Amino acid sequence: QVQLRQSGPGLVKPSQTLSLTCAISGDSVSSGSAAWNWIRQSPSRGLEWLGRTYYRSKWYYEYPVSVKGRVTIDPDTSKNQFSLQLNSMIPEDTAVYYCSRETWIRGAYYGVDVWGQGTTVTVSS
Amino acid sequence: QSVLTQPPSASGTPGQRVTISCSGSSSNIGTNTVNWYRQFPGTAPQLVIYNINQRPSGVPDRFSGSKSATSASLAISGLQSEDEADYYCASWDDSLKGRVFGTGTKVTVL
């Protein structure tokens, strides 16, 4: 059974950088049939995709335009985990942050089938 | 900020059929597959429909999905009290080059 365990602070000051980590058990961050995502959710913005990383002979990184330049998602193969860094935090970045796994089955897209427990992040001085 | 539009609420009595719509565009639903997620309060979303109309293992056949042009729908037949939750559609947007989600629909069992 695949599980994702998130860790990181729940309170970040404005202009600082948010750093969250997602530890993977039951799968590999280097899996050729998975992608590792960060998604956040807030009442004002709903569910918002923050980007993903995946390995297909080399590492790929994809980010939405809305946070590009502020966000970095990095895999750590030695610890079988991946991380999120979001810099220049503002109050509007207050949200529940989820790490998650996307899966392809026999080459066909399946969906986001495993989620972390969520981290409530508040941006406040 | 959500790219896909859903009605904010839907309701029905036990045993009834409820349908939730998801409106997108040619760059997302019109071109790519659609998934549906269910979310109970205080928990992460769960996949209930993938590839437009396929059910993951463990999801009852009361749940069904469809797609037409740039819109998709989720139907719940034989509504039960445990179906009360928030439901979100999701797709990939080729113009934005990213995963996009619906605005969410709260299903209430009267």
Side-chain angles (χ1 to χ4, degrees):
Chain A
Q1 182 185 0
V2 179
Q3 291 187 322
L4 303 178
R5 176 61 61 181
Q6 299 177 216
S7 59
L11 181 64
V12 177
K13 288 183 167 53
S15 79
Q16 287 190 337
T17 296
L18 171 67
S19 295
L20 297 175
T21 299
C22 184
I24 303 164
S25 59
D27 198 354
S28 168
V29 72
S30 303
S31 168
S33 60
W36 306 95
N37 294 248
W38 285 95
I39 295 167
R40 68 182 177 183
Q41 185 175 29
S42 66
S44 59
R45 301 168 75 96
L47 284 166
E48 183 180 11
W49 180 71
L50 297 177
R52 65 184 181 184
T53 185
Y54 54 94
Y55 187 76
R56 303 288 186 270
S57 302
K58 69 173 186 177
W59 286 102
Y60 291 84
Y61 307 88
E62 296 175 339
Y63 306 114
V65 172
S66 58
V67 292
K68 209 166 189 177
R70 294 180 56 206
V71 65
T72 302
I73 295 175
D74 265 329
D76 184 339
T77 57
S78 66
K79 296 181 179 177
N80 201 32
Q81 63 185 31
F82 63 107
S83 63
L84 168 75
Q85 285 201 315
L86 185 61
N87 57 35
S88 304
M89 293 285 282
I90 60 176
E92 288 71 27
D93 291 318
T94 294
V96 178
Y97 286 72
Y98 293 102
C99 63
S100 59
R101 182 187 78 167
E102 276 181 296
T103 303
W104 282 257
I105 297 178
R106 292 183 290 278
Y109 182 70
Y110 181 65
V112 179
D113 62 341
V114 183
W115 298 71
Q117 79 274 24
T119 301
T120 300
V121 175
T122 301
V123 182
S124 175
S125 54
Chain B
Q1 292 276 343
S2 299
V3 172
L4 307 179
T5 302
Q6 301 177 231
S9 63
S11 63
T13 56
Q16 279 191 328
R17 176 185 172 94
V18 166
T19 301
I20 303 168
S21 61
C22 174
S23 178
S25 68
S26 58
S27 62
N28 43 65
I29 294 177
T31 310
N32 298 300
T33 192
V34 178
N35 284 3
W36 288 89
Y37 298 88
R38 173 181 62 192
Q39 185 177 31
F40 297 114
T43 68
Q46 304 169 296
L47 185 65
V48 292
I49 291 289
Y50 69 96
N51 194 19
I52 302 171
N53 55 17
Q54 304 298 302
R55 285 174 289 103
S57 174
V59 174
D61 59 6
R62 302 184 295 102
F63 289 82
S64 62
S66 63
K67 181 179 111 167
S68 177
T70 59
S71 292
S73 294
L74 172 71
I76 309 172
S77 59
L79 196 64
Q80 299 182 5
S81 58
E82 64 242 39
D83 299 329
E84 196 162 278
D86 294 326
Y87 291 82
Y88 296 90
C89 56
S91 186
W92 182 267
D93 193 292
D94 290 341
S95 295
L96 298 175
K97 293 185 175 53
R99 182 76 51 208
V100 290
F101 292 93
T103 49
T105 300
K106 182 176 182 60
V107 170
T108 301
V109 181
L110 302 171

